[in-house]
Amino acid sequence: MKSTIIFASSWLLAVPALGQASTATAMLARYQQALAGHVLGYEVQRIDTFPSGNVWNHRGQVVMRRRPAGSALPADFLAQRPDMKLTYYYNGSAGYDLDDKTRTYRMEAKPYAPSVLGSPAGQLLAEELLAVTDSAYQSVAYSLTSQGGVLHFRYPDQPALDVLNRHTYLVLDAQTGLPREVKTTMMRGGGKWVIIKRLSQLRLDAPADVAALDQPSFRATYREAVPVPAAEAPTLQSKRAPLFALQGLAGAPVRLAAYKGRVVVLDFWETHCAPCIRDMPQLQLLQARYQGKGVVVLGMLADNSLGAQGRAPGILKRQGATYQNLVVSKEIASAYHVNSFPHQLVIGRTGIIELDHTGGEATAALTAAIERALNVKTPAKSTK
């Protein structure tokens, strides 16, 4: 995907003016004008430093072109991960997940943006180079350093996603005015998350890059992978709930058997799962609505990452979640077939599972299952 570096004339004309911009808005306007409508190609090294202290370091190449507002993804793009032999191509309507080792592809008619941008190749997309034209940021500042100009974007907090104090720094090279680094910092999961995307070989409208987007060669040289039927996910619905005795996040042990005769809602979650965190206020409302009717909500922290138990209380506090949370063992997660998050269950008063649901935004399904469980009459005790 490498090609000769060719810069658009509009960019070259804009470079001298960039350093002369006296305000952040003027600088941003010139920068937007310089990149508007162009195909961008670049090499990238992405370094993620997570709140846990773990570090990811990935490299690859990307070609991209901004999509109109309202598109499922921010850009048409072709992103390559040579180390994993994986590529992702998106043309504005469909996505193609390419395996460069087997030279096969899998088409996604309606790609889900978070999954694509979180995929190995999609993580290399520096969408910040394009998204500065939106109005999502709260404020923008500009400073001139010895290394070049820096556009600093401050974003509103998103407590529903547990994203706080988010800042993005777009660093421009002192000699060329071209973006050479995008750095984003945020507080998430009770700790600081830093994402650095170091750019090199950045080019505008290189013929090979334009062709890569408009006439991708894989269509002639790759074959479509034969779809493998997905195995039906095991479900515990209508089965008896596995018993457990787990340590509470606050320290006290909790046994499921102690809630016999009550309706129990289990919410399996992780500290880095945005849909899990987004669901917490709704679970709190369910607890408040039904607690007088014999319903209890139990958060089930099934996160084995370093520092998860330390991050969890802060997340729960910010989401206003006061219901009890337990630390889940691998054995119990396996017994409940927990493979993805959020995973929520409703256990009836007799111990039979009324609902086994995976995926967020399940308030309606949870409410219906709770109502069913409350309306089931428990067998009368024998007097004999």
Side-chain angles (χ1 to χ4, degrees):
M1 198 170 76
K2 293 184 179 180
S3 60
T4 304
I5 302 176
I6 300 176
F7 301 118
S9 59
S10 62
W11 175 264
L12 292 174
L13 291 173
V15 169
L18 291 178
Q20 300 168 8
S22 58
T23 67
T25 52
M27 171 63 178
L28 178 57
R30 293 181 186 277
Y31 179 79
Q32 292 169 343
Q33 183 180 7
L35 292 183
H38 294 295
V39 172
L40 283 72
Y42 56 87
E43 313 286 318
V44 59
Q45 177 187 17
R46 173 170 171 162
I47 304 171
D48 289 64
T49 303
F50 296 96
S52 64
N54 293 339
V55 178
W56 288 358
N57 193 332
H58 307 305
R59 295 177 182 269
Q61 302 94 35
V62 177
V63 174
M64 66 181 184
R65 174 174 51 211
R66 182 175 177 81
R67 293 290 305 166
S71 299
L73 291 166
D76 295 342
F77 70 92
L78 181 72
Q80 294 180 314
R81 280 285 301 274
D83 59 328
M84 300 182 70
K85 296 189 179 300
L86 295 176
T87 298
Y88 198 93
Y89 171 72
Y90 176 70
N91 64 5
S93 59
Y96 296 83
D97 198 356
L98 281 65
D99 185 327
D100 298 322
K101 185 175 181 179
T102 62
R103 300 183 72 79
T104 59
Y105 68 86
R106 179 176 57 85
M107 189 187 80
E108 298 177 318
K110 294 182 179 180
Y112 179 53
S115 296
V116 173
L117 297 178
S119 68
Q123 289 176 0
L124 301 179
L125 186 67
E127 69 272 16
E128 298 90 347
L129 299 180
L130 305 171
V132 292
T133 58
D134 64 26
S135 57
Y137 57 85
Q138 193 172 51
S139 63
V140 58
Y142 173 61
S143 60
L144 194 59
T145 69
S146 59
Q147 296 182 336
V150 179
L151 277 168
H152 172 196
F153 299 90
R154 170 74 169 89
Y155 290 84
D157 289 342
Q158 296 178 284
L161 299 178
D162 192 42
V163 176
L164 307 174
N165 201 26
R166 177 187 165 198
H167 297 259
T168 292
Y169 304 86
L170 186 61
V171 183
L172 308 177
D173 186 85
Q175 298 299 318
T176 66
L178 297 171
R180 62 182 181 84
E181 182 176 288
V182 180
K183 179 180 179 180
T184 297
T185 65
M186 69 186 83
M187 296 298 294
R188 190 168 188 182
K192 189 175 183 179
W193 186 2
V194 180
I195 304 171
I196 297 175
K197 298 173 184 176
R198 292 175 179 160
L199 311 177
S200 61
Q201 302 295 311
L202 191 141
R203 53 202 180 267
L204 303 181
D205 300 325
D209 291 341
V210 175
L213 290 182
D214 296 339
Q215 299 174 332
S217 61
F218 77 86
R219 287 179 171 172
T221 58
Y222 283 42
R223 58 182 174 81
E224 187 168 7
V226 177
V228 178
E232 187 174 343
T235 179
L236 293 178
Q237 191 141 336
S238 301
K239 298 180 181 178
R240 185 163 296 280
L243 294 176
F244 58 75
L246 298 171
Q247 196 74 15
L249 195 58
V254 174
R255 300 173 64 88
L256 180 61
Y259 296 106
K260 184 178 180 180
R262 302 178 70 179
V263 175
V264 180
V265 179
L266 301 182
D267 175 48
F268 289 87
W269 67 287
E270 285 188 320
T271 59
H272 294 300
C273 168
C276 300
I277 296 167
R278 188 166 52 237
D279 279 353
M280 288 177 178
Q282 293 302 317
L283 290 167
Q284 181 65 33
L285 289 175
L286 286 176
Q287 172 74 88
R289 177 180 176 183
Y290 288 106
Q291 63 182 354
K293 299 181 179 181
V295 176
V296 61
V297 175
L298 295 177
M300 306 288 281
L301 179 62
D303 191 335
N304 296 317
S305 63
L306 183 65
Q309 293 183 40
R311 294 190 297 271
I315 294 173
L316 293 165
K317 182 178 180 180
R318 286 191 293 274
Q319 298 305 105
T322 61
Y323 49 84
Q324 192 166 18
N325 269 260
L326 315 181
V327 180
V328 177
S329 64
K330 291 183 179 180
E331 292 75 17
I332 295 303
S334 176
Y336 277 89
H337 304 311
V338 178
N339 297 309
S340 58
F341 300 91
H343 189 133
Q344 296 155 335
L345 302 98
V346 175
I347 304 172
R349 291 182 292 179
T350 61
I352 302 301
I353 294 175
E354 288 285 339
L355 176 71
D356 185 352
H357 176 84
T358 300
E361 301 179 354
T363 304
L366 289 171
T367 301
I370 291 171
E371 291 288 350
R372 287 197 306 271
L374 289 174
N375 290 328
V376 173
K377 294 182 179 180
T378 56
K381 292 183 179 180
S382 174
T383 57
K384 294 182 179 180

